[in-house]
Amino acid sequence: MGAPKNMIKGFIFMGIYTVITIVVPLLTFGYIRQLSIEGYAIQLTQQGYEIISFWIVAFGLLISGCAFFTYSSPKQSIRKGVFALIQVLINCLYMWSYKFSGATDIQIDISGFGFVVLLVQDLVLVYMGVYFLTIAIKIYDLVDFTVNRKTIREARWEDK
């Protein structure tokens, strides 16, 4: 009964990651694209929107796929450790793609006065620092699952 339960858990987390990494950002940037503040439009060109959307969907699909394999794997397995590490690395690339797709430079055009650019690149760098610590934890888990493989298997057989 463990395999079907793990598959269902994998599909649920894949859906959650799909909503978080694809649907919410696309809706947000679609809203920002049409937003105007006090009558001043935020300038996000069609080409800029398409580039941002491409990277969001591309990395979002990779993250969602890795989430399925991570959460459908047995607890404390090497497979779970490997996919969790891959997922965190892809999350880093996902955050980094925000920086280079132009999503961190929001330009508000104020006619007659110029424009204001909101730079949120430092926020991406803060997230990258957090992901660095998460990568260290995932590497430790993978090493732990590999070194204690025999003990983990024996504990699983005792539980059955």
Side-chain angles (χ1 to χ4, degrees), residues 27-39:
L27 290 175
T28 302
F29 282 108
Y31 177 72
I32 287 174
R33 190 169 157 221
Q34 300 170 357
L35 183 66
S36 66
I37 300 171
E38 298 286 327

Side-chain angles (χ1 to χ4, degrees), residues 78-117:
I78 295 173
R79 180 177 62 192
K80 184 175 190 100
V82 168
F83 279 111
L85 181 61
I86 291 171
Q87 183 180 0
V88 172
L89 292 173
I90 293 174
N91 279 335
C92 287
L93 293 173
Y94 178 77
M95 290 304 297
W96 202 251
S97 74
Y98 271 100
K99 182 175 180 177
F100 289 108
S101 68
T104 58
D105 301 332
I106 302 168
Q107 183 173 343
I108 302 170
D109 189 22
I110 303 171
S111 59
F113 296 106
F115 59 90
V116 175
V117 178

Side-chain angles (χ1 to χ4, degrees), residues 13 16 44 87 112 131 150:
F13 276 96
I16 291 169
L44 181 60
Q87 183 180 0
Y131 276 124
K150 185 176 179 180

Side-chain angles (χ1 to χ4, degrees), residues 8-53:
I8 291 170
K9 185 178 172 186
F11 280 116
I12 289 171
F13 276 96
M14 182 179 72
I16 291 169
Y17 275 92
T18 300
V19 168
I20 291 171
T21 60
I22 299 174
V23 175
V24 171
L26 286 179
L27 290 175
T28 302
F29 282 108
Y31 177 72
I32 287 174
R33 190 169 157 221
Q34 300 170 357
L35 183 66
S36 66
I37 300 171
E38 298 286 327
Y40 301 114
I42 293 180
Q43 186 179 14
L44 181 60
T45 63
Q46 179 67 26
Q47 182 182 6
Y49 178 73
E50 288 175 2
I51 291 170
I52 292 168
S53 298

